[in-house]
């Protein structure tokens, strides 16, 4: 699953209507160019592909007053909205995807109702604990202990430590959400200070 698709759909949805430069500026503001594969070329390609797939609607705009070429503005469609939430829910529970997918999903966590976000994070913790138990019980896919595998056993140790850390983070986020952190969907206006041009 592509983190770029989730980022682009989520940002266009947040803005309501946006052109490529605005999406690019937002993703750079969030540092996505550092922790994901969202580079300018792939970003503009994603916008066009999402429009081609009916997930975004491309609006023709007037030529730039500064003399540049006209910009295409995009708006999320009903199908795009459904795909955004499908990807968001998946990304919060998937434990075998690249880290950038989870990182992208956290940026849109507040687009979910609080109860649903709590449930999805609890599913994540349960999946991590189950996989950890499976790995530690077997030691390795071949059934050997990590010490018997020499340096290859360090892969399993790294995975277990990473799973423990991921689960601990998710439990802490669950506690913060249960304590009322953040304004979630249905609780008030979405915080737009996360946009690069920070509208009031």
């Amino acid at each position: 699953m592509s983190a770029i698709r989730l980022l682009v759909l989520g940002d266009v949805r947040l803005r309501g209507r946006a052109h490529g430069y605005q999406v690019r500026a937002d993703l750079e503001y969030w540092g996505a160019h550092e922790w994901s594969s969202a580079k300018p070329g792939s970003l503009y390609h994603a916008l066009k592909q999402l429009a081609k797939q009916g997930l975004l609607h491309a609006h023709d705009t007037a030529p730039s007053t500064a003399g540049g070429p006209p910009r295409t503005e995009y708006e999320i469609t009903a199908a795009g909205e459904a795909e955004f939430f499908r990807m968001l829910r998946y990304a919060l529970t998937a434990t075998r995807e690249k880290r950038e997918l989870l990182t992208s999903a956290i940026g849109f966590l507040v687009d979910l109702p609080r109860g649903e976000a709590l449930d999805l994070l609890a599913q994540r913790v349960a999946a991590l604990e189950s996989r950890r138990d499976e790995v530690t019980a077997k030691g390795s896919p071949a059934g050997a202990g990590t010490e018997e595998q020499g340096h290859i056993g360090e892969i399993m140790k790294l995975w277990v430590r990473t799973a423990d850390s991921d689960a601990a983070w998710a439990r802490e986020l669950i506690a913060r959400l249960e304590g009322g952190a953040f304004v979630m969907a249905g609780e008030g206006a979405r915080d737009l200070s996360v946009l690069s041009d920070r509208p009031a």
Side-chain angles (χ1 to χ4, degrees):
M1 182 171 288
S2 167
I4 296 174
R5 286 170 65 89
L6 179 58
L7 287 165
V8 170
L9 285 173
D11 188 56
V12 172
R13 179 180 180 274
L14 177 58
R15 282 191 170 272
R17 191 163 160 165
H19 55 73
Y21 181 79
Q22 288 172 313
V23 176
R24 176 181 173 181
D26 289 341
L27 269 56
E28 287 180 356
Y29 182 63
W30 302 340
H33 58 292
E34 298 288 342
W35 49 259
S36 79
S37 54
K39 308 298 183 226
S42 58
L43 175 65
Y44 288 104
H45 176 74
L47 284 163
K48 290 177 183 176
Q49 284 299 112
L50 289 165
K52 187 176 180 180
Q53 294 165 5
L55 303 178
L56 294 176
H57 177 73
H59 294 275
D60 291 328
T61 60
S64 168
T65 56
R71 287 181 168 156
T72 301
E73 289 189 339
Y74 296 90
E75 186 175 13
I76 198 164
T77 64
E81 182 102 355
E83 176 67 0
F84 166 74
F85 280 107
R86 185 193 71 77
M87 292 181 71
L88 178 57
R89 291 174 178 118
Y90 172 80
L92 289 170
T93 57
T95 59
R96 298 187 188 204
E97 294 281 355
K98 291 181 180 178
R99 177 64 65 184
E100 68 181 42
L101 186 62
L102 174 63
T103 306
S104 301
I106 295 305
F108 300 109
L109 179 70
V110 297
D111 291 330
L112 294 168
R114 188 173 301 273
E116 183 177 7
L118 287 167
D119 181 58
L120 292 168
L121 290 167
Q123 289 178 45
R124 179 175 196 82
V125 171
L128 287 163
E129 289 174 343
S130 175
R131 177 73 174 131
R132 186 198 193 286
D133 290 346
E134 178 186 325
V135 169
T136 54
K138 292 182 179 178
S140 75
T146 56
E147 297 303 324
E148 298 166 26
Q149 288 193 301
H151 73 279
I152 298 300
E154 295 300 326
I155 296 170
M156 294 300 173
K157 291 178 186 176
L158 173 62
W159 195 93
V160 167
R161 290 283 178 92
T162 302
D164 286 345
S165 175
D166 191 336
W169 165 82
R171 286 189 206 96
E172 290 170 3
L173 179 53
I174 287 169
R176 287 192 294 277
L177 288 173
E178 288 174 337
F182 316 120
V183 176
M184 305 295 286
E187 298 178 352
R190 178 69 152 87
D191 177 12
L192 298 181
S193 67
V194 298
L195 298 176
S196 58
D197 45 10
R198 303 176 203 160

